[in-house]
Amino acid sequence: MRWDAQALSPTRGPASVTSGIEAPGPAPAMEPLLPLAGLVRSISTPEFSGVTFHEVTAKSVLNKVPSGSNMPFEWTFNPYRGCSHACVYCFARKSHTYLEFDAGRDFDSQVVVKINAAEVLRKELAKPSWERPQVALGTNTDPYQRAEGRYALMPGIIRALADSGTPFSILTKGTLLARDIPLLKHAATQVPVDLGISLAMTNQDLAELIEPGTPSPRARLKLIARLRDAGLGCGVMAMPILPWLTDSDEALDDLFAELTKAGATGVTAGALYLKPGTREWFMDWLAAQHPELVGKYRRLYGKGAYASKEYRTWLTGRVTFFKAKYGFTGTSGFSHRNARAATGSAVAPAAAAPLPGQQPLF
């Protein structure tokens, strides 16, 4: 989907970049990187060093999943494009090229913000044709990435969905979600709400290298505990498990032990997925940080996006073992699939299903 298909307002005239970026508050609007209709302004601020926000006004925000897709949801909503979490392995990287950005550094640092997202969503949900199917958030980029601290789009989005009777699911690495716990508790009395935290490693040093813009694993574990203390369910998406980096028995045992302590209601786990766009960026990182593993990854993945069948079978066995050890056998984990009913406040958990572009094991 092209940027100008999502935008409405005309682009402002170019503004010069100044050297006053160290001054408090937002820097003056910069000349847009891309001469596309609909861009309101492009800005950078001292508190988000290295990140440029491209503010757009959207014509529509709900995205219909194509029929025949294996995704476990029909509708998605992404208030942001690009993600400052900067996860080297992010499967959504190639989607940034649809905006004529690159899938590497631009994905991490050029963040498109739909500043009127909540207002447009409320109008779309009020249409007589809307039948209140589940809406999934966090399917492409994180709705609680750091930009949410500046733009605070999610409270209006949550209210719009709940007020319309639309069930929704959220997957995030962002501890900013804690801000909205009271709102989510109230929403859960109106519609089914399914919450998931993405956490696949407890090694802080590795996390700082491979997902440098995310809250620490420890902070995400505390968020899981806060959600559970608030009476909200919280599944965990333990993806991706990284061959030779986070798939050892020690690493998996520590992960599942910590998830148990935090009170996670279930775990969905799966191996790294290397689709085009992600593969090139990840392999460059691997060559710089772990050159001894480059040959192993090339043999394991060949020219495809999935690890070999043999590896996935082996990892399935290890995940199954640790799920049993820590009491997760039979739990549904997280799959954007548990908030199903159009009315009511609760639904029975469904079996885990793949996220787009990933292949869960259990």
Side-chain angles (χ1 to χ4, degrees):
M1 185 176 296
R2 309 298 293 176
W3 185 339
D4 53 0
Q6 282 287 297
L8 182 63
S9 299
T11 304
R12 292 185 178 183
S16 60
V17 181
T18 73
S19 58
I21 196 162
E22 298 300 327
M30 300 186 299
E31 183 175 356
L33 292 181
L34 304 176
L36 298 177
L39 181 62
V40 176
R41 63 175 181 169
S42 296
I43 63 170
S44 60
T45 65
E47 63 268 33
F48 294 94
S49 178
V51 178
T52 299
F53 297 116
H54 303 282
E55 299 175 355
V56 301
T57 50
K59 290 188 292 186
S60 65
V61 292
L62 287 169
N63 303 301
K64 182 72 167 67
V65 176
S67 60
S69 169
N70 65 352
M71 295 183 186
F73 40 80
E74 296 179 61
W75 293 87
T76 68
F77 179 20
N78 292 287
Y80 303 99
R81 303 288 298 272
C83 187
S84 61
H85 284 338
C87 300
V88 176
Y89 53 74
C90 182
F91 69 85
R93 285 185 171 276
K94 189 172 177 63
S95 67
H96 224 43
T97 64
Y98 306 155
L99 308 179
E100 299 181 19
F101 287 122
D102 69 50
R105 191 70 61 194
D106 285 353
F107 181 84
D108 302 340
S109 63
Q110 306 296 326
V111 177
V112 178
V113 185
K114 301 172 186 177
I115 55 176
N116 63 338
E119 294 83 356
V120 175
L121 176 63
R122 191 171 287 276
K123 290 178 182 178
E124 292 183 316
L125 297 175
K127 292 179 180 178
S129 59
W130 182 248
E131 297 179 348
R132 302 187 184 94
Q134 177 194 345
V135 172
L137 296 100
T139 61
N140 195 59
T141 57
D142 199 317
Y144 281 103
Q145 61 179 282
R146 291 179 61 226
E148 174 63 14
R150 173 183 175 87
Y151 290 96
L153 300 180
M154 285 299 292
I157 290 167
I158 292 168
R159 291 190 187 97
L161 290 165
D163 290 349
S164 72
T166 300
F168 61 93
S169 57
I170 300 173
L171 177 64
T172 183
K173 289 183 172 79
T175 52
L176 277 166
L177 181 141
R179 177 200 64 194
D180 294 340
I181 286 177
L183 188 57
L184 289 165
K185 286 184 65 177
H186 179 69
T189 67
Q190 300 172 274
V191 297
V193 175
D194 190 21
L195 301 175
I197 302 301
S198 177
L199 178 59
M201 67 187 76
T202 56
N203 184 323
Q204 179 62 35
D205 292 337
L206 178 60
E208 288 177 357
L209 289 173
I210 203 164
E211 43 185 40
T214 65
S216 70
R218 183 59 52 191
R220 278 175 273 169
L221 288 165
K222 289 180 179 178
L223 175 60
I224 295 168
R226 288 189 64 178
L227 289 168
R228 299 298 290 128
D229 288 345
L232 294 166
C234 182
V236 170
M237 183 67 75
M239 291 187 177
I241 303 298
L242 304 170
W244 297 290
L245 291 172
T246 63
D247 63 351
S248 68
D249 278 1
E250 180 183 5
L252 292 172
D253 189 78
D254 192 56
L255 174 64
F256 279 87
E258 292 297 330
L259 294 179
T260 300
K261 292 177 187 176
T265 52
V267 185
T268 299
L272 175 68
Y273 177 76
L274 290 178
K275 65 184 292 186
T278 301
R279 183 186 182 103
E280 296 81 359
W281 191 246
F282 178 85
M283 292 302 290
D284 284 349
W285 175 88
L286 193 69
Q289 298 293 334
H290 292 280
E292 75 282 2
L293 295 181
V294 171
K296 291 183 177 182
Y297 268 77
R298 286 176 178 163
R299 290 189 291 273
L300 184 63
Y301 283 85
K303 295 182 179 179
Y306 293 102
S308 70
K309 183 178 180 180
E310 292 77 12
Y311 177 83
R312 287 182 279 122
T313 298
W314 172 82
L315 185 57
T316 295
R318 302 319 297 150
V319 168
T320 300
F321 172 82
F322 288 109
K323 286 187 73 171
K325 179 177 179 179
Y326 288 102
F328 289 113
T329 300
T331 63
S332 61
F334 182 83
S335 63
H336 279 296
R337 200 172 191 171
N338 295 342
R340 281 304 198 192
T343 58
S345 60
V347 291
L355 266 184
Q358 299 202 28
Q359 188 178 52
L361 299 170
F362 278 86

